[in-house]
Structure formats: C-alpha cells, structure tokens
Amino acid sequence: MDAVPAESEKLEGIDWQALRDVSAKPGGLGKERETLWPRLLHVNPNVISHTKPEGVEPPESHRDERQIKLDTERSFVLYPVGDPGLDNRETLQGELHELLVSIFRKRRKLNYFQGYHDIITVLFLTLPKEVQFVSAEKFSLHRLRDSMGSSLEPVLGQLRILQKLMRLADPQYAAVLDANAPLPYYALSNLLTLFAHDVPTLLLIQHIFDYLLTRPPIASVYLAAAILLSRKEEVLWLEQEGEEGMMHSLLSSLPEIYEEGDGEAPEPCEELNIKEEEGESLLEETRSITASEVEDTAKAQSEKGAESWEREPESPPERPSHTYEEPSEADETLQAISETSEADFSREETLVASSPAPGDSKEIDPSLPKGDSGVEVSTCSAPPGDREETLVQLSEEENLNEKEVPESRPSSPASSVQRVRRARVSLTSLLNRADDLFSLYPPTHPDLAVSKTMGPQSVIFTWSENPSDLPDDDEAEAMVLHPELVVLPVVESDAEDEEEEEGHEKKERRRRRKLKKPRRFGGVVVERRVMVAGAVLVLGVAMAVYGIRAAPEEPMSRHHWKKLGRWVGGVLVGASGRILDGIRL
Amino acid sequence: MSKQFQFKLVLLGESAVGKSSLVLRFVKDQFDDYRESTIGAAFLTQTVTLEDQTTVKFEIWDTAGQERYKSLAPMYYRNANCAVVVYDITQSTSLDKAKTWIRELQRQADPNIVIALCGNKTDLAARRQVSQEEAQKYAEEEGLMWGETSAKTGEGVSEIFTAIAKKLPLTAPAPKTTARGAPGSSGRGVDLNKQPTAGQNDACNC
C-alpha cells in the first residue's frame, strides 16, 4: 500500500499490454494487485490521502440504503470463510456496509443493485483500507456505471452482445442456447457482478478482476462467452432432454474453475457442487446415451478441440495427449474448435473427473443424499456401454423410490444416484480463450453490433486507458440519468438474429433467411425494417441530445465528439447495411 | 401406472423475505443462516407424491427480489401454473409488496394460475408485524391459498407445496410435458418419467 504513492509517478505510464499478459497467467497480478488495481482504476494517488469517506459523506441517507443493508447482512457467505484473521463476519459486514453507504452518499445519482456488494466485497478484501473508497468510486463511475442506473436495460444490452458473440464463436451451439432462452439471462449475474457473485473463492475472483481491470469493460462479455463455450457439452446433453430450466441452472452457475499452480490435483469423482446437482444428473443420464457416439468423433478430433480449453503453456498440461494449436484462421478455426470441443470434452471428462474448486467445499453438502456409488463407478471409469446400463437401472430404481416430499429428500439415496462432474477448466485457459475471442471478434466487429446496442454514454465507450480521456467523475455520475444514452432501444433482437444467421451459414443463407428466422424467435419476428429505421431515428435523437449536453464543456465535448463520430459512423454504416438488406428481402 | 404432472412454479416477493430459503428447504431440506441474494433468477425442481400416488414435479423459478429485477419477472410467471408469493411476517411492508405481485399476477399471468400467499419466518413470531388474520382475510378475499412457513425450522413448508400440488391437477390439468422450454427436444430415448432426477433438485440459488 505504501507503494502507491511511491509509484505515483508511473501512473500515466501503465504498461497495459504487459499487465494484460501477466493477468492472464496463473496467479494473475498476485500481490501486486494491491497497488495495481487503484492505478488501473485511474485513482489519482495524490487524492488518496485526503479522500476519506467521512469527509465527503453527506449526512442524508441514500434511497437504496435499506437494500444495501439487506444485502450486506447476508454478505461474506462464500469467502473469506476460513480465512484466518478475517473471520469476524459481522465486523466485515459492518465495514462493507459503511463502505457501500459512503459511496452512495457521495455519488447520490448512482443506484445500488443487488450484486454490486459482491463486487465491492472483492475490493474490500483486496485493497488497503485507504484506497478502498476511491477505488470503489472510480470502479463504479467508470466501469460499473451502466448497471447503476435505474433499470436493468444496460446489462441486457450486454447480454445481447454476448449472444451475438456466441453466434460468431460457435453458431451451432449458439442456436441451441438461443432456442432455450431469448437472451442469455443465465449470464446476467456474471455480467452484472463481474463474476463476483458466482466465483467461489477470493483468489479466483481476484485473478478474474486482474484480468478485467487490465482490459476495457467489455472484456467481461468475452470472458462470459469463454465460460459458456466451456459448457458446451453439458448444454448439448441437457438440450436433448429439453430441460429449459436446467439449462438456466447449469449456465447460471460456473464450471469448476481452478487456478493453475495451486498444486491441486484433480480428484476423480469428487462430490459435486450442489448447485449443479440436478443438471448434472441429467447430464449423466444423457451422457450414457450419447457417450459412445461422441467418443468416435472425439477420437478423430480431440486434439483440435483441446485447444479451446487447454491453452496452458505455463503449466504442465493436465491432459498431455492434447496439444495446443494457435487458432489462426478466424472463423474457420473457431468453428472447428467448437465443433470438436463437445466431443473432446467427453473424453477428457472420463480422464479427469472433477473435484471442487478451492474453497468450493463450502457448497458441498455432506448431508445431501449420496447414493451415487453406482454411478461413481460409471461416471469415472466405466466405458460408455456400462454406463448406460447402470443408468437405466438406476433411473428405474429412482422412480420407485420417489416418495412424498418430506421423506424423499434425505432418505432416498436412489433419487440422487446420478452425479456427474461439471466441466472443469483452468482459469488461465478461460482467460486465454476470452482473449482469443477478443482478437477474433473485437468489439468493432460489425456482427457484434456493439455500437448499435450500447449508447455513447455506456462505459463501453467512455472508458479509456488514458485517464484524461475519461469523463470526469461528476459527469460520469450524471450519465446514469440518461439511460437512453447508455443502451439503445431493443431493436436488436431482430436485426441481431439476422446477423447471427450471417455467421451461421454465410453462403446460401440470404435467400432462406426469411424462412429460417421464425424458427428461433417465434414471437419476436417483428417488422425488422421498420424497427431499424426506428433505431436510426432514435440514434439521431440521441446524438442531438448528446451534442447539446456535451457542448458547454469544450475539451470534454471535443473528445466525446471524436468518439461519438466513430460510434455514429459505425452505427450508420451498420444500420444502412441492415436497411439495404431488408429491402433486398 | 400413477399419474404424473409437471408444473411450473414461480416464487415472487420482496427482497430478503426468504424466497430462496423456502425453496432450499423444500428442495433440499436445508437452511442457511446466511443466504446470498439472488441475482436474476434460479431454477430448481422438486417432486411431490400425493396419497393417490400421483406425482407432481415442480419446476421452480426463484426470482430476485430487488425492484430493479422486476422487469424480468414476467418471463418467469408468464407460463407458470402456480405462484408462491412470499412475505415476511416481521415486515408489514413485505405484505404490501406481496399484494402488488398478486395484482400483477391477476392481471398478467395465466388466468388459471394457482396463487399461494406465504408468510415466512414464523420462527421470528416474536417480531411479528403481520397477523395471521389480516393475511388470511386478504387471501380469502382474493381467492388465494394461504399459509405460514418457517424456512428455518421447516414448519409449514412441505405443506404449502403439497397443498398447491393437490390443487393443481384439478384446476389446471397439465400433462407432464406442459410448459417445457424446448418443444420436441425430449426425444432421444429417455423417458422423462424416468428421469433419475425427478424428486431431486438442483440449486443454483444465487
């Protein structure tokens, strides 16, 4: 912490690329994060000493304080449980509450959202006390702001971008996901809380924050996509079951993520995180049916598939049979990856069964009905054929064992016989995967339609590596009052699905698009052309409003107009493309 | 062979009234003193078997309580066969919020939806702000089921779900394939009846 002032002269000289590289490696920024995070958040070290929450905190309470209290009273559930020296939960809750309240009392225009406390918890547990407030303030104003308006709309915009990214990265898989949910709502908490709500241990979430804070705010979308891609096999199995809810359940929880170099060897057939229980049971069942077919393709393609998850140059490969190949030809390679990853997974999972992530144990409930002995065998070691047999048998048994609720839970072991491991991925492989996605499909990629989804005042556009390019703090705070400039109206579900199709079947698609569309978006196939025209109109209005707002402040406005120009350019090009496209139809 | 039903159930109610805890008790017979807030929604299932061996599988959507997540709620109650609207007996404002949800359901949800009003946290009866009479009277006026529960002790929890299960097939006969997300995707040779997971749970209760 005392390093902060000492390094202050380097503030302007953050080597972003170098830090990005480090952040994606095992361990991330390590202890350095204490001094690096404030800098990455553009905290001015000179201000730290005299920006004490007490000094700036107006006495009046903020409208969201009741909710803040409700949430902090049930905070610190996952970590730092068991962390020596940090065991007084109530004290921690009190301090966290104070920190949160001081932020909202100073930045009164911001709105609290459930999950924000999870994010701030990570800062709270990581940073020295004297930089917590200023770091949280900067974080909120320049990175989290989109979610701190009065509505959920901006994060839904991010979900739309995520959806498009998935369609680019793996069209077939994305189609399955799309068929299940109109938007990837299961990723809501990932995006809203920057994974802080879902990641089970402090070390992992700190590393994820290392990754995110060294990158622009949209990096969370790429990471969410990388995570979704790692669940492909599980999803495809569930899909065959038609379990809409289970899919949500599966995807709203994370795969089992582990940090490399923790010396944590995978332990076969450990009990699963209870969050997954049913989903995995389902998986297991379907697995038995598909395993053999999958196996065949897996043999042929396993090496290819390995690269999607196994890019772990830093550590001894967990599955030595797979080699990493640099993804080169953008679409084709990824396509290939995604096609094979499914198959690959099944093989890998038979080799490497899951064990809980560090700290996961908290979620594993020993009182849960176990009874998975039969399946343990089949899951871990039995060849696919055997599995199938066991499973069928078990499922019948299960049926017999079903009872009236009160008894059926703890006492009928057969009802929970099925237990399957989650996908188990190293954090670095996910981070590298996210980076690959970012290079292949950067935010400027037209099919992501970022500039048609988010407005000019979204953090996605206002954030900058260069602090002098950021809106000033007060201006940033005021931006939450104009949600219409943060996220654009939801015209996207139609235009977007057009885009998606483009990635999907590039060649022969144009003619068939009309026929295909309704399949995916049953009720939502509205007048696309009208809506696009509407979007352009809205943009016009937004620009006008924005121009007026920005005008008085000279330097600011010039800078923003530049940015806006880029943005508008992109939008207009994109939109007119859409219109032409529509006319052609 | 006994009859089997599958119903979609949505939980609504103000933040921190115990929605997730109620489901956790129902599905896993567990209780956590500290339960994290739910972000978005969580999905769980549980099956109850009635005296006549009819089984009812609940597909439960547990929603987030904070007002800002309200816009997501229609997605979850839209095709719901039943709703449990939860309030906290120690917070009279939570009953007001429950009433708001009930009005919304009555306007927007399926007209046949079975709604149960549920007063949670009876273990904290010493701090009670909502009397049984008041809540029950309101429920009767609105034609709702009503019950009090304690997710902490388990009191009344399975009763309320069982009562809903009993009421459901009568009012809204639903073949077990109703309210599925992906039509036609249940093929693949596995009879859903035999899902080893029926009667199990899941818990992504954030």
Side-chain angles (χ1 to χ4, degrees), chain A residues 240 249 278 285 398 404-405 409, chain B residues 26 48-49 185 198 201-202:
Chain A
Q240 290 166 350
S249 205
E278 171 147 338
E285 184 183 72
E398 137 88 16
E404 179 91 32
V405 188
R409 283 164 317 210
Chain B
F26 174 54
V48 298
T49 305
S185 49
N201 43 59
D202 142 281

Side-chain angles (χ1 to χ4, degrees), chain A residues 528-542:
Chain A
R528 185 161 75 231
R529 274 150 282 184
V530 176
M531 306 234 310
V532 169
V536 173
L537 195 67
V538 170
L539 279 174
V541 174

